[in-house]
Amino acid sequence: NAGVTQTPKFRILKIGQSMTLQCAQDMNHNYMYWYRQDPGMGLKLIYYSVGAGITDKGEVPNGYNVSRSTTEDFPLRLELAAPSQTSVYFCASSLTGGSNQPQHFGDGTRLSIL
Amino acid sequence: EDQVTQSPEALRLQEGESSSLNCSYTVSGLRGLFWYRQDPGKGPEFLFTLYSAGEEKEKERLKATLTKKESFLHITAPKPEDSATYLCAAIPRGSSNTGKLIFGQGTTLQVKP
């Protein structure tokens, strides 16, 4: 079982470039999440989805977009990269949003904007 | 405002030296308190979920406890392989259907042989 797979693992972008961070899960989970992790700041929720076709903003959505066309995939789009978006990005999934269902995380994408 | 705060930020222990990590929370109607372990270059790995004050859960050298204001992760006789960052996260009442977690900043534990 692969769990949650994120690609790429590392990426360097120039200011103003665009890119898509990929996330796929093979556990048939309905709920998926995107977080960013900055040093000393913990994980902050960017966007989440409760099922295919349904997405909503988290705590820090500005500068990002998402889509959820299938249960398995939840890509995160950066349209105009800015230095403030340098971070480690984690995708997670869970069967439901209930507190009895822990989120399973991928190993992250480390993104630098120069 | 819902908030989760962890202390200390970093902790160095000698192998075998027991200690505790703290997670204080101010959350409206706690629905669950999670502990995760994160190794360098990896994503968080689930350890425990606690639901109500007085609850305890154990796994090998780790024991998590919960009160109405904080949670502790007790590490008994740690080994170097316990070195990692430990994260706690809470689900408040308002997020009980979405699973939106509020994370603390984490405690980075280093256990020296």
Side-chain angles (χ1 to χ4, degrees), chain B residues 24-77:
Chain B
S24 297
Y25 62 91
T26 308
V27 167
S28 305
L30 182 74
R31 286 294 178 262
L33 190 293
F34 296 82
W35 281 98
Y36 285 86
R37 170 189 171 128
Q38 186 176 23
D39 292 303
K42 298 291 186 181
E45 179 183 350
F46 170 73
L47 292 172
F48 305 108
T49 309
L50 302 167
Y51 296 99
S52 57
E55 188 175 4
E56 299 183 353
K57 289 194 176 174
E58 288 189 63
K59 181 179 181 179
E60 296 181 358
R61 295 175 294 282
L62 301 177
K63 183 169 77 172
T65 62
L66 183 66
T67 73
K68 289 186 177 180
K69 292 184 179 180
E70 54 195 353
S71 178
F72 294 94
L73 186 65
H74 307 278
I75 304 176
T76 303

Side-chain angles (χ1 to χ4, degrees), chain A residues 58-107:
Chain A
E59 187 180 357
V60 289
N62 291 344
Y64 308 94
N65 277 301
V66 294
S67 59
R68 183 96 182 271
S69 57
T70 68
T71 299
E72 294 79 18
D73 300 299
F74 191 39
L76 178 71
R77 178 82 177 164
L78 281 71
E79 289 294 347
L80 292 170
S84 61
Q85 294 177 305
T86 293
S87 188
V88 182
Y89 292 84
F90 289 99
C91 178
S93 73
S94 61
L95 184 60
T96 71
S99 57
N100 62 340
Q101 296 291 335
Q103 293 178 20
H104 301 263
F105 285 80
D107 282 339

Side-chain angles (χ1 to χ4, degrees), chain A residues 31 33 35 37 40-43 45 48 50 57-58 90 97-108 110, chain B residues 31-32 34 36 38 40-46 49 51 87 91 95-101 103-106:
Chain A
Y31 288 63
Y33 307 86
Y35 295 91
Q37 185 176 38
M41 298 293 289
L43 280 84
L45 183 65
Y48 68 100
V50 301
K57 296 177 181 178
F90 289 99
S99 57
N100 62 340
Q101 296 291 335
Q103 293 178 20
H104 301 263
F105 285 80
D107 282 339
R110 283 143 189 85
Chain B
R31 286 294 178 262
F34 296 82
Y36 285 86
Q38 186 176 23
K42 298 291 186 181
E45 179 183 350
F46 170 73
T49 309
Y51 296 99
L87 302 168
I91 292 185
S95 297
S96 57
N97 291 328
T98 62
K100 291 163 64 177
L101 293 173
F103 277 89
Q105 311 93 310

Side-chain angles (χ1 to χ4, degrees), chain B residues 2 17 19 46-47 68-69 72 83 90 102 108:
Chain B
D2 296 325
E17 180 186 2
S19 188
F46 170 73
L47 292 172
K68 289 186 177 180
K69 292 184 179 180
F72 294 94
S83 297
I102 301 169
T108 299

